[in-house]
Amino acid sequence: MKYFTSLLMILMCTANLNAQEIVKLYPGVIPGSKPAPADFKETAPVGDDGIIRISKVSEPTLTVFLPSKEKATGAAVIICPGGGYGILAINHEGYNVAKRFNDIGVAAFVLKYRLPNDAIMVDKSFGPLLDAEQAIYLVRGQANKWNVDPAKIGIMGFSAGGHLASTLTVHYNDVKIENKEKLSLRPDFSILIYPVISFIESPHTGSANNLAGANATQAQKEYFSNEKHVTPQTPPTFLVHANDDNGVLRYKIVLFLIRHWWLTRLRQRCIYIKVADMVLV
């Protein structure tokens, strides 16, 4: 057991090797939270596949990865790992991605957001969105500290993390955090990687049930079906989805794209890669 614990710590330290700072998302009381039960402890086991799966997050954080000053472009991205709103696949959909962004001069902030849980949240359906709003509030508000251009801050997410990113992308005006400075919570761009987009007709029931519950109201389903909320002010969005990924309804992603094009008139581009059976939108 001691060997396993030591190995886990080494892996976690390696994953964070390029991280300069870990920042608590909230300076004080976390809004919409309840005191965590004594047995509610964050875990981060490493699977046989090498993936770190974090669960039971009660203290959300941003892990900061900054590029060298020589490479820095001023752009920044907040990264939301996926995991069906049940876990966070924090390394391959978080830390590793952040390092690659640093290579091209982009500051990256990996968001360890709270996973919906009635034990620690007043309304679990909005817990992750609060954390995403707080993340962009924090990065934009402290942009000078990290040498970031406050007009070049985007959000990125994978799978359920893509749903969270797309939720902020379309609901950024639904402010649920304290924002005395009235900072804009609108991402300047959005990157959605095999995202869960819709809670209506979605085969990805795990994400929907974990976030809104098995008995979600129609209003909740409509709110979190983000293809329905694209407006002319929706940020430029880059989407990636594999043709053989049946976990997410492809046509819902296409609806998001079509509505985005129709309302914003931004030039859209589709790239079909046969080898990887991937569609880049």
Side-chain angles (χ1 to χ4, degrees), residues 99-156:
K99 294 171 190 175
R100 294 301 298 270
F101 271 112
N102 282 179
D103 290 342
I104 59 172
V106 178
F109 300 80
V110 178
L111 176 58
K112 187 177 74 173
Y113 55 92
R114 289 172 296 154
L115 299 161
N117 195 306
D118 291 324
I120 62 167
M121 297 173 181
V122 176
D123 183 348
K124 71 174 186 176
S125 66
F126 285 117
L129 179 57
L130 263 71
D131 292 352
E133 289 185 352
Q134 181 70 13
I136 197 164
Y137 168 83
L138 200 62
V139 175
R140 187 160 279 146
Q142 299 186 33
N144 288 339
K145 172 183 175 181
W146 292 306
N147 194 29
V148 165
D149 184 338
K152 293 183 179 179
I153 300 171
I155 192 161
M156 177 183 197

Side-chain angles (χ1 to χ4, degrees), residues 31-74:
S33 66
K34 297 192 292 189
D39 60 349
F40 195 93
K41 303 293 184 182
E42 183 176 314
T43 62
V46 181
D48 293 338
D49 52 8
I51 296 175
I52 301 171
R53 293 174 172 86
I54 294 181
S55 62
K56 294 187 176 181
V57 177
S58 59
E59 293 285 345
T61 63
L62 280 176
T63 301
V64 183
F65 292 78
L66 298 178
S68 64
K69 290 184 179 180
E70 295 75 21
K71 289 185 176 180
T73 63

Side-chain angles (χ1 to χ4, degrees), residues 1-16 44-52 91:
M1 180 59 72
K2 288 183 179 180
Y3 172 79
F4 176 79
T5 303
S6 299
L7 178 61
L8 176 60
M9 293 302 296
I10 291 171
L11 286 169
M12 291 292 287
C13 290
T14 302
N16 286 284
V46 181
D48 293 338
D49 52 8
I51 296 175
I52 301 171
N91 52 348

Side-chain angles (χ1 to χ4, degrees), residues 194 240-245 271-280:
Y194 43 87
V240 178
H241 186 72
N243 279 332
D244 61 353
D245 183 351
I271 306 172
Y272 291 88
I273 305 176
K274 292 183 179 180
V275 175
D277 201 20
M278 187 81 77
V279 182
L280 307 186

